[in-house]
Amino acid sequence: MTTLDTRPIHDEVPGNYLTFRRGILSWIFTLDHKRIGVMYLVAVLVSFFVGGVMALLVRTKLLFPGEVEWMTFDQYNKAFTLHGAIMVFLVIIPSIPAALGNFVLPIMLGAKDVAFPRLNLFSFYLWIMGAICAVYSLIAGGFDTGWTFYTPYSSQFSTGGTIPVLVGVFILGFSSIFTGVNFVVTIHKLRPPGMTWFRMPLFLWALYATALIQILATPVLGITVALLVVERAFNIGIFDPVMGGDPVLFQHFFWFYSHPAVYIMILPGMGIISEIIAVHSHRHIFGFRFIAFSSIAIAIFSFLVWGHHMFTSGQSPLMNVLFSAITFSVAIPSAVKVFNWLATLYKGSISLNTAMWYGLSFIFLFTIGGLTGIPLAVLSTDIHLHDTYFVVAHFHYVMMGSALIAMIGGLHHWWPKMTGRMFNETWGKIGCALVFVGFNMTFFTQFMLGSQGMPRRYYMYKPEFQIYHHISTGGSYIMGLGFVITAIYLLHSLFAGRKAPANPWGGASLEWQCTSPPPHDNFSVTPRVGDCYDFSAVSWDEKQQGYVVDVEAHVAAAQSGKGH
Amino acid sequence: MASHAHSSHDHGHGHAHGEAHPLVGHLVPYSTLFATGAALLVLTVITVAARYVDLGEANIYLAIGIAVVKATLVSLFFMHLRWDRPFNLMVLVGSMLFVVLMMVFCMMDVGQYMDTENKGNPKAVQNYLDANAPFAPVTSKK
Amino acid sequence: MSHSASHADSHGHGSHGHGDHAKYPFLAHHFDTPNQQFESGKLGMWVFLATEVLFFGALFVMYAILRFKDPQVFSYAANYLDTILGGINTCVLILSSLTMAIGVRAAQTNKKGLLSLCLALTLAGAIGFLVIKYFEYTHKFHLNLKWGQAFYQPVTEADAAAAKVEAKPVENPVLAISSPNPSAGASTVSLASPPPADKTAIAAPKMGPDGVATTEMVEAVDKPVHAAHPEGPHLLDPDMPANTHRFFAIYYIMTGLHGIHVVIGVGVIGWLLVGSLRGRYSSDYYTPVDLVGLYWHVVDLVWIFLFPLFYLIH
């Protein structure tokens, strides 16, 4: 094992992970999971901004039902394709696992780092390379196939930037796979004494289930884009009818990954919500084992339902019925979680911090998103709703209203831990409110648009839809304002925020037992494991202006079985 | 020496007198390795020979069956799964189950609309054949 | 479960002190014991191999679907593959797996010379596999047995000569030989002489919409009978089923991806060999050898399945 610095790492060093070694090289070659998490976070948030600008371009065009001079049909196609591809591959899939997860997982687990720190850094650089390929593809002519790359358009026609972006997606897939490998091994092998599976926080269960999906599904995406590149370059004839191929086969291969992928997006978010709800209502999570097992169940079921994206594509009636039936069952584990969170809130001592606002928003928005999946799962209604704005609204409710909201909530929840600063709560709530109101304005109207028949990915539309588009676009600007405000006060807190105590919210899991920010190797003594949702030993300390955990009492309570 | 530095596996047997002891992990006896290698070679010869014998439908099942046996030998003995934690074997087998899942569902779908597909050459192919290969097939032979 | 020893350490040190880290320089700071590090490495490698199974597995699914749809294409086109060369390749990989496993054992028993020898032999096997593959591929390329539309390009004289195949028709037409002898190697079996083509006897098929073959196909009448020649230009073979190009597409994709993994294996085993010659591996620390061994065995495993699926189709 080689390191840049020859000092033994486990000697006591002053300061924290941010001050441990200085200089840009110490960040570029870092093996510290916390620094890698921070780098991912910056990268993901920058990509989110770019993808968001694309979305605003699309929404602005949609203020006008007809053609406009400042955006052609092709440019519109490229804008929504870019929005989708950036958001799916560069933002949502890596965001919680790679950005927040990398930072929090080892500390929450009680380990010094992930199992393979060099692989972790390599994952980050793979992300960077994938992003570079995506940027290059813009220069090479852009791509306008939609983020789903359906054949035969993507194999026969489309533009010069298609192959580079497919190569980028392939590389990003490996970034995701290696993160998954790292997390699985870390959770299996690096747990400290006393941290059994059922003492592990639910965020880690969620990350584990996500890692399972990343490992099993992402290679199929790799092969699919590789086959598409070969098909496009050499016209081999497996997906393209011109050479006797089958375009529905492409869709089978694509969705075999992409459906589990949406669970890669949502599962970690659900894990965060479990943490936020429990900590900010100072109440033991209700139904720990149910929530834990439901994460694993969701991971497994997600592989059985991919055909529900293909009901109108030419898939056989037999498979349509089969996939529709199994899709209904996928809703069950998710519903189990929602009911458990509600039960946790009930009679809790709720602190309405910004993180909790995001947590409550999640529950509301996820319920709508999940319920609107049902009309899409039912074959007869899906015939009408497929490829309309109804689908767009549904997936934005679950991907953005749920996964992204959870990510931002988690960012606020762990911001003091990561940066050592407290942000301004008032502005936090203003930002959350703007995002919530803007989001609903943008996407609720799209349910109405879709059920009245407005197709998705269309540049022009009938004039009677215009009022809905106006409301939707207005909402998107409000939402954008909310995100900008969030960015401003968070950045401001880095310079002028109050110094954060180790435990600002009163959590009982291990990450709250080290300083904010954490020291370089996380713990100077081996952490002692109690019940991470037992808040009985957590009390407010006036001097620190934060909570403290009485570790002896906490561990004793767990061992005596008190507080289940 | 701290007792927790040793692995919990039995790596006592299998090493000859005077051989060094690995700190961790399990030592496979030479006899096992060579026997496995020999079995694999023999099975390869058998499966190649079977290719020239016409067993109709059974040919493919025999070939796949021998391949599965060979794969099992490689996994259990060369890859140590025989002596490893069972979880590692579960990882391997579990991943194969997902491949089977994908195969079954996709084949079910394709099987349903196979008969409705057009037979014969696609147009682009047919054009080439007409231009360059006058006696090439006009229809497909089943 | 975690392998770190249980303790109630309340001293200032980390988990059971610096003892193990001082004693074992290869032990990373975030692991407590060498066994924990070893087992983590193994599990990590197995999880990565699971992703490789899914990676190749998707291609096996593609194979299954294509063969399910057009079994006659596979039976026909498999004649163009040389079973004996494929069998030799299989044996080469099996032997290289054996030498790799012996190499791991050598590392475990601290026999550094034997380890280097085994790694060198494994490397030789890998390179041998690639060499045989090279000959197989180039032979096919000469005969335009390629993917996509290239499959339907006629074979030039020069290419036919390079593939040692006679492309000119012989004087007297011969009857079809039903099962060509694949071990005949580079044969000079020629095409039967086609009489001048009277295409007026063959009605033109009706054209369907663009890209879709019409369902109304017309049987050619009075077609002369040709020999089915695996070594001859396939375009002139009337027994060639439609969509035969798909066999070669999946053949090159699967064997090509496997070949890429062999190349990666060459690189990684070469790196191990360099390390081994420098004495990096011992009975205390041989984890990289073990993990690369696992990778190499999976490469062998994939070939064990590829071989019957392509080369042993009767």
Side-chain angles (χ1 to χ4, degrees), chain A residues 255-444:
Chain A
W255 288 112
F256 185 84
Y257 163 74
S258 297
H259 187 78
V262 311
Y263 291 95
I264 295 177
M265 302 174 202
I266 192 66
L267 270 175
M270 290 170 159
I272 291 183
I273 297 304
S274 295
E275 298 303 321
I276 290 179
I277 299 285
V279 170
H280 293 269
S281 30
H282 303 279
R283 192 156 135 69
H284 198 290
I285 193 86
F286 189 91
F288 177 95
R289 289 189 184 220
F290 278 94
I291 300 184
F293 287 132
S294 71
S295 296
I296 306 292
I298 291 175
I300 296 175
F301 281 169
S302 67
F303 281 92
L304 304 176
V305 296
W306 77 85
H308 66 225
H309 298 269
M310 298 162 58
F311 286 151
T312 60
S313 65
Q315 185 173 246
S316 59
L318 169 68
M319 296 314 291
N320 276 354
V321 168
L322 199 60
F323 279 124
S324 175
I326 303 176
T327 304
F328 293 132
S329 71
V330 169
I332 298 173
S334 307
V336 162
K337 287 185 194 267
V338 173
F339 290 130
N340 279 305
W341 292 323
L342 292 175
T344 307
L345 286 168
Y346 181 63
K347 289 198 175 165
S349 166
I350 298 177
S351 309
L352 281 171
N353 303 309
T354 309
M356 188 54 145
W357 276 48
Y358 279 103
L360 295 173
S361 307
F362 176 99
I363 297 180
F364 178 80
L365 297 172
F366 178 70
T367 304
I368 296 180
L371 288 175
T372 52
I374 308 280
L376 295 171
V378 173
L379 285 170
S380 47
T381 48
D382 186 71
I383 304 290
H384 178 65
L385 296 172
H386 178 77
D387 255 0
T388 64
Y389 264 78
F390 195 94
V391 179
V392 174
H394 160 73
F395 67 66
H396 279 93
Y397 264 85
V398 283
M399 289 209 285
M400 184 180 192
S402 309
L404 188 82
I405 291 284
M407 192 258 182
I408 299 184
L411 190 61
H412 285 78
H413 182 67
W414 283 302
W415 184 264
K417 182 59 56 184
M418 290 170 75
T419 61
R421 303 283 186 157
M422 302 298 286
F423 53 86
N424 185 312
E425 281 286 341
T426 310
W427 279 107
K429 290 168 189 170
I430 292 173
C432 181
L434 284 173
V435 167
F436 183 82
V437 168
F439 179 88
N440 280 302
M441 268 179 75
T442 312
F443 293 108
F444 202 83

Side-chain angles (χ1 to χ4, degrees), chain A residues 474-490:
Chain A
S476 70
Y477 290 147
I478 295 174
M479 202 173 27
L481 179 64
F483 286 128
V484 167
I485 288 177
T486 305
I488 292 175
Y489 71 73
L490 284 178

Side-chain angles (χ1 to χ4, degrees), chain A residues 45-120:
Chain A
L45 291 175
V46 167
S47 312
F48 176 63
F49 173 73
V50 174
V53 166
M54 291 295 126
L56 288 177
L57 278 175
V58 169
R59 285 267 31 114
T60 307
K61 155 57 191 78
L62 289 170
L63 285 172
F64 313 103
E67 222 175 315
V68 295
E69 306 103 34
W70 50 273
M71 191 189 277
T72 65
F73 287 84
D74 274 339
Q75 287 168 335
Y76 179 81
N77 291 342
K78 288 178 188 174
F80 73 69
T81 301
L82 201 58
H83 166 72
I86 289 179
M87 288 305 198
V88 168
F89 293 115
L90 287 177
V91 179
I92 298 273
I93 285 182
S95 64
I96 301 176
L100 291 177
N102 258 324
F103 190 98
V104 173
L105 184 147
I107 309 182
M108 216 184 212
L109 193 62
K112 289 208 178 87
D113 207 318
V114 289
F116 307 119
R118 285 176 295 188
L119 189 66
N120 207 8

Side-chain angles (χ1 to χ4, degrees), chain B residues 4 7 9 14 19-20 22-24 26-28 30 33 44 51 71 80 85 117-118 121 123 133 136-137, chain C residues 3 16 35 38-39 42 69 83 94 98 105 108-109 111 114 152 210 212-213 215 235 240 242 283 286 301 314:
Chain B
H4 46 250
S7 77
H9 294 114
E19 273 189 334
L23 180 65
V24 292
H26 172 269
L27 208 57
V28 183
Y30 275 120
L33 291 178
T44 307
R51 179 241 183 275
H80 291 171
R85 309 178 144 274
E117 283 185 343
N118 291 323
N121 284 313
K123 184 171 172 221
Chain C
H3 263 245
H16 57 285
N35 194 50
F38 177 70
E39 296 242 331
K42 269 235 166 183
K69 292 213 295 192
T83 306
I94 288 173
L98 178 63
R105 197 184 188 285
Q108 285 176 312
T109 51
K111 295 181 183 146
L114 179 60
Y152 294 101
D210 268 324
V212 175
T215 51
L235 291 183
M240 181 175 81
S283 54
Y286 62 93
L301 264 182
H314 185 78

Side-chain angles (χ1 to χ4, degrees), chain A residues 142-164:
Chain A
F143 52 103
D144 58 350
T145 57
W147 81 275
T148 47
F149 300 114
Y150 277 6
T151 56
Y153 183 64
S154 56
S155 57
Q156 268 256 296
F157 307 100
S158 190
T159 48
T162 309
I163 289 188

Side-chain angles (χ1 to χ4, degrees), chain C residues 52-253:
Chain C
E52 291 281 342
V53 167
L54 263 297
F55 202 56
F56 278 99
L59 287 180
F60 279 105
V61 171
M62 178 65 79
Y63 173 95
I65 291 171
L66 290 178
R67 185 161 173 181
F68 183 52
K69 292 213 295 192
D70 294 307
Q72 72 284 3
V73 164
F74 281 71
S75 314
Y76 173 85
N79 288 324
Y80 286 95
L81 298 183
D82 190 336
T83 306
I84 297 301
L85 272 186
I88 293 173
N89 253 350
T90 309
C91 294
V92 165
L93 271 189
I94 288 173
L95 287 170
S96 74
S97 261
L98 178 63
T99 54
M100 188 75 218
I102 296 175
V104 171
R105 197 184 188 285
Q108 285 176 312
T109 51
N110 224 12
K111 295 181 183 146
K112 302 191 183 181
L114 179 60
L115 171 62
S116 299
L117 174 66
C118 287
L119 288 176
L121 287 174
T122 310
L123 197 58
I127 293 173
F129 179 90
L130 290 173
V131 165
I132 296 177
K133 262 260 145 306
Y134 168 80
F135 284 119
E136 278 189 278
Y137 275 16
T138 49
H139 180 78
K140 289 193 186 54
F141 289 167
H142 286 311
L143 292 174
N144 269 351
L145 290 168
K146 294 181 195 166
W147 46 84
Q149 297 195 336
F151 185 74
Y152 294 101
Q153 305 279 7
V155 178
T156 63
E157 292 279 344
D159 279 337
K164 299 191 183 57
V165 165
E166 189 70 48
K168 283 200 291 274
V170 298
E171 291 300 322
N172 302 311
V174 297
L175 288 172
I177 304 166
S178 53
S179 358
N181 183 358
S183 61
S187 69
T188 52
V189 175
S190 320
L191 290 167
S193 143
D198 180 9
K199 292 191 85 175
T200 57
I202 304 171
K206 291 218 187 75
M207 282 297 128
D210 268 324
V212 175
T214 176
T215 51
E216 290 177 310
M217 293 295 191
V218 178
E219 283 285 348
V221 297
D222 291 331
K223 284 181 73 172
V225 175
H226 295 277
H229 299 289
E231 298 296 334
H234 49 280
L235 291 183
L236 296 176
D237 186 348
D239 288 331
M240 181 175 81
N243 291 321
T244 305
H245 61 275
R246 295 213 281 226
F247 173 86
F248 289 98
I250 191 71
Y251 169 75
Y252 285 115
I253 290 171

